[in-house]
Amino acid sequence: MFLRGLILLSIIVCITCPIIVFAFNRRSLFGKIYLLYSLCVLSYVACEFFSFLDASPVIHTIIYKVQCISWLFGGSAFLLFTKAICEDKKLSSVYYFLIISVVASFISLTTPLTIASVKYYDLGSDILPGPLLFPFLFIVTLLPFTIGLLQLIRHSRKKLGKHTNRLNFIIIGTLILFFGGSTTDADRKSTRLNSSHLVISYAVFCLKK
């Protein structure tokens, strides 16, 4: 029950923070792209919540397959988000990762090559990875996240004052998000995802104030 409460809090944070950011920055490209990025995070957290349901292995496998799609597109969404912040109009790398994400998502939904099945333990369930899970994780999640993060770091070094501090908030929030999503402990994962979304949302809100 406690874990479900934490994950439900994550869902509330993932919904309210982007809405607040967008409400005050409606004309900003930041706000619109941040909504897209937040949608990926929200779908990931929502599937985490539904994974605690008392359901059959088939239902749990479907839930994890849908969750898989959220992080398959999360890397591309984050890279697009960082390019908007850095005012970089070269989007070829984003398109490249998006195409791979579409193919990977189709494979994930229709085959057991990414999510083979599920396993159960005292606090809930977890995935049994297929042979393509970790290659896809590296190509369409880790790579675009790393590219975007390095671009943010380079961009922050060119800025001065409050703008730099806010970019640093986004960098820190991204690191929290990445490591938070990587952990297998649901309570720690939810706490880190909450912290990450709050930090990044604050920074994005301030960048266009």
Side-chain angles (χ1 to χ4, degrees):
M1 190 69 180
F2 174 71
L3 294 179
R4 291 184 183 181
L6 276 177
I7 297 173
L8 185 60
L9 178 61
S10 296
I11 293 175
I12 294 172
V13 170
C14 289
I15 292 174
T16 55
C17 285
I19 289 176
I20 292 172
V21 170
F22 182 73
F24 285 89
N25 299 279
R26 293 180 181 178
R27 297 182 180 180
S28 168
L29 183 61
F30 274 22
K32 296 175 183 177
I33 295 178
Y34 184 58
L35 279 178
L36 176 64
Y37 168 62
S38 297
L39 182 62
C40 292
V41 180
L42 174 62
S43 61
Y44 177 93
V45 177
C47 288
E48 192 76 15
F49 178 80
F50 289 121
S51 71
F52 282 89
L53 294 176
D54 185 13
S56 67
V58 174
I59 298 299
H60 278 132
T61 301
I62 293 173
I63 291 172
Y64 284 120
K65 282 178 177 288
V66 174
Q67 186 183 50
C68 181
I69 294 175
S70 67
W71 57 256
L72 284 174
F73 282 99
S76 300
F78 177 75
L79 184 58
L80 182 61
F81 172 58
T82 58
K83 285 184 175 293
I85 292 174
C86 300
E87 299 178 347
D88 181 3
K89 297 182 180 180
K90 298 178 181 178
L91 301 179
S92 56
S93 59
V94 178
Y95 298 144
Y96 169 76
F97 286 117
L98 276 174
I99 291 172
I100 299 177
S101 296
V102 170
V103 175
S105 296
F106 178 78
I107 293 173
S108 176
L109 286 174
T110 58
T111 74
L113 294 176
T114 52
I115 308 296
S117 185
V118 294
K119 58 183 177 181
Y120 295 91
Y121 56 99
D122 292 341
L123 296 178
S125 60
D126 201 356
I127 65 169
L128 287 173
L132 292 182
L133 177 66
F134 293 109
F136 282 157
L137 180 64
F138 176 77
I139 294 171
V140 296
T141 304
L142 182 60
L143 274 182
F145 260 103
T146 303
I147 293 170
L149 192 60
L150 291 175
Q151 186 170 17
L152 273 178
I153 293 172
R154 288 195 299 267
H155 186 66
S156 68
R157 291 178 177 177
K158 299 177 183 179
K159 299 296 180 178
L160 298 173
K162 293 181 178 179
H163 198 83
T164 300
N165 293 332
R166 290 159 187 169
L167 287 173
N168 289 337
F169 270 119
I170 295 177
I171 293 169
I172 293 170
T174 302
L175 290 173
I176 296 172
L177 174 70
F178 185 78
F179 288 109
S182 300
T183 183
T184 56
D185 299 325
D187 54 344
R188 295 178 183 177
K189 181 186 294 184
S190 299
T191 303
R192 292 171 188 172
L193 289 173
N194 282 337
S195 302
S196 169
H197 228 68
L198 287 169
V199 169
I200 295 176
S201 296
Y202 167 76
V204 174
F205 178 78
C206 290
L207 279 171
K208 282 299 178 180
K209 284 289 285 179

